[in-house]
Amino acid sequence: MGPPGAGKGTQAQFVAAQLGIPHISTGDIFRANVAGGTELGQQAQKFMDAGELVPDSVTNAMVADRLTQPDTEPGFLLDGYPRNRDQAVVLEDLLADRSIGLDAVVELVVDSESVIARLLDRAIKDGRADDTEDVIRRRLDVYAEQTEPLVGYYREKSLLRTVDGVGQIADITARILDALTN
Ligand code: AMP
């Protein structure tokens, strides 16, 4: 977990590789579907472009499908999901069906100045359609309103690992791995 620009995607990639498990980014899956012009991509695009969450029915079905793939058997790292309370509850049900549960939830803590600087930097480098100023603002609001409450939800379940997300990429990866193993 962490606001847009906290470095979730970058860190998730390194952490998943280190743990030998798939990195499942709902944002990446949506972007691939938009690029491929699939029906799922068409359903998701207008929400993504506006900085809104794609409807839960669409997102949950996509994650449910992804989790049936055999590469998830040894474990998996979810990046960008769940993003609201309903998704969190659906995820619990999906995992319960497989008699498993979450091992941990990592929260990357980054001050808002660093977040905005990173997003603007990414806008220049990657040209992501949702990295414009208005959309960035909306995505930060959506995070604060809908996703951030999950921090408390997972803290109550003793799953939350809070990690300082400011610093060198490799140092942050090491902090996350440390938080997951201690
Ligand atoms: P991300 O790459 O994680 O920042 O996601 C980019 C965009 O994809 C978000 O702004 C949403 O429009 C959409 N998206 C990604 N994950 C979810 C999710 N769990 N629920 C709803 N929409 C999502």
Side-chain angles (χ1 to χ4, degrees):
M1 294 190 59
K8 294 189 298 293
T10 304
Q11 291 302 329
Q13 235 170 312
F14 288 122
V15 170
Q18 190 74 34
L19 299 178
I21 55 175
H23 164 210
I24 301 176
S25 157
T26 44
D28 283 352
I29 299 173
F30 282 134
R31 276 185 290 279
N33 277 275
V34 169
T38 68
E39 197 187 323
L40 177 64
Q42 282 165 21
Q43 287 173 319
Q45 186 165 21
K46 65 171 184 285
F47 298 99
M48 296 175 76
D49 287 350
E52 303 293 340
L53 296 186
V54 176
D56 287 348
S57 55
V58 175
T59 306
N60 289 329
M62 180 179 87
V63 172
D65 178 64
R66 180 64 185 86
L67 293 183
T68 62
Q69 292 175 29
D71 67 332
T72 61
E73 209 110 307
F76 46 86
L77 194 160
L78 291 166
D79 162 16
Y81 181 91
R83 256 175 155 97
N84 62 28
R85 177 74 74 114
D86 284 352
Q87 292 182 5
V89 171
V90 167
L91 175 62
E92 262 157 34
D93 291 345
L94 282 174
L95 299 182
D97 287 345
R98 285 170 59 165
S99 306
I100 56 176
L102 291 175
D103 295 312
V105 175
V106 175
E107 180 198 14
L108 278 181
V109 178
V110 178
D111 59 281
S112 54
E113 247 170 67
S114 306
V115 158
I116 290 172
R118 284 183 192 181
L119 287 170
L120 292 175
D121 187 51
R122 189 170 74 187
I124 295 163
K125 286 196 186 126
D126 301 353
R128 251 177 70 165
D130 59 352
D131 276 342
T132 60
E133 197 182 331
D134 281 357
V135 180
I136 286 173
R137 199 165 289 139
R138 182 62 197 144
R139 285 162 60 217
L140 290 168
D141 284 349
V142 168
Y143 181 79
E145 287 161 16
Q146 303 191 46
T147 309
E148 205 168 24
L150 289 181
V151 169
Y153 179 81
Y154 287 124
R155 185 180 289 120
E156 269 173 33
K157 293 181 184 290
S158 302
L159 288 171
L160 193 73
R161 310 279 185 272
T162 302
V163 172
D164 177 3
V166 179
Q168 297 294 316
I169 290 176
D171 292 342
I172 301 167
T173 309
R175 283 176 212 153
I176 295 171
L177 289 168
D178 193 49
L180 289 175
T181 45
N182 290 310

